[in-house]
Amino acid sequence: MYVSAILLAAGRSTRMGTNKLSLCYKGQPVLHRSLAPLLASPLVSEVIVVVNSSSSLPIDRDGCTVVVNHEADSGMASSLRAGVAAASADADAYLVCLADMPAITEALIATLVEAYRQSGKKIVVPVHEGRNGHPVIFGAECKEQLLRIEGDVGAREVIRENSGMAEYVSVDDPAVVFDIDTPGDLSR
């Protein structure tokens, strides 16, 4: 199975007041902590990192493709569209990840990919203590819907429209709902 991981890193960090992806979390920049398990996972076939046009993030380009989203100010949907459009035509599934979620692990990725394989559903959403989280897997059959989304709500509408074909996987890992938005989040 060909899994295209799409790491959305084009946000402007307005709530943080500075580029949160370059801040240190557990000894490494947030972006590196979010990218590392994707690059290390043997289940991920390619990694696409979507950044904004003014990004100066230090990204080791070995093992990943960096895509510049010139429309990043229009919302998260434009970054998701850019990532999906850049993915290989061989992609069976898209693993959509948020760059401000630095606690995601290879083990979690493996759990979600296995759930996707076993469920026969076209969307897999991790759930922790009743809260939907990330990363989310979308089957290639969702590609056209993902390329049509608009605004700053990500792919929630695609999940809602396909709720009968979504597998909600309960996980014990709070990483799926932990993101870095404020200075206080860094110390949690």
Side-chain angles (χ1 to χ4, degrees), residues 149-162:
I149 62 173
E150 296 286 332
D152 199 29
V153 294
R156 286 186 201 130
E157 188 67 20
V158 176
I159 296 169
R160 191 184 60 73
E161 288 174 5
N162 295 284

Side-chain angles (χ1 to χ4, degrees), residues 3-176:
V3 177
S4 295
I6 300 169
L7 185 64
L8 303 179
R12 300 286 184 186
S13 302
T14 53
R15 286 178 279 184
M16 183 65 77
T18 188
N19 188 336
K20 63 186 173 183
L21 300 182
S22 64
L23 297 176
C24 199
Y25 176 77
K26 293 190 177 181
Q28 292 182 324
V30 170
L31 178 64
H32 291 263
R33 302 253 334 154
S34 300
L35 182 58
L38 301 176
L39 293 172
S41 174
L43 302 174
V44 170
S45 307
E46 70 177 342
V47 177
I48 298 162
V49 181
V50 182
V51 299
N52 63 53
S53 57
S54 63
S55 176
S56 60
L57 295 169
I59 300 172
D60 181 357
R61 294 172 189 254
D62 288 341
C64 68
T65 300
V66 177
V67 174
V68 176
N69 176 9
H70 296 284
E71 300 174 8
D73 289 338
S74 69
M76 187 186 299
S78 65
S79 291
L80 185 51
R81 288 193 313 265
V84 170
S88 171
D90 295 330
D92 297 303
Y94 308 101
L95 177 69
V96 178
C97 309
L98 305 181
D100 64 355
M101 297 184 77
I104 300 300
T105 64
E106 280 183 70
L108 178 63
I109 293 167
T111 296
L112 297 175
V113 171
E114 186 60 24
Y116 177 78
R117 284 183 178 153
Q118 296 293 323
S119 71
K121 304 284 179 116
K122 61 183 178 179
I123 300 172
V124 171
V125 181
V127 179
H128 178 71
E129 296 182 353
R131 292 178 55 201
N132 292 357
H134 281 88
V136 175
I137 298 180
F138 294 92
E141 58 269 74
C142 295
K143 180 177 183 176
E144 293 307 314
Q145 284 180 289
L146 293 170
L147 290 173
R148 287 193 305 266
I149 62 173
E150 296 286 332
D152 199 29
V153 294
R156 286 186 201 130
E157 188 67 20
V158 176
I159 296 169
R160 191 184 60 73
E161 288 174 5
N162 295 284
S163 61
M165 284 303 295
E167 178 77 11
Y168 294 87
V169 179
S170 181
V171 297
D172 290 332
D173 191 345
V176 302

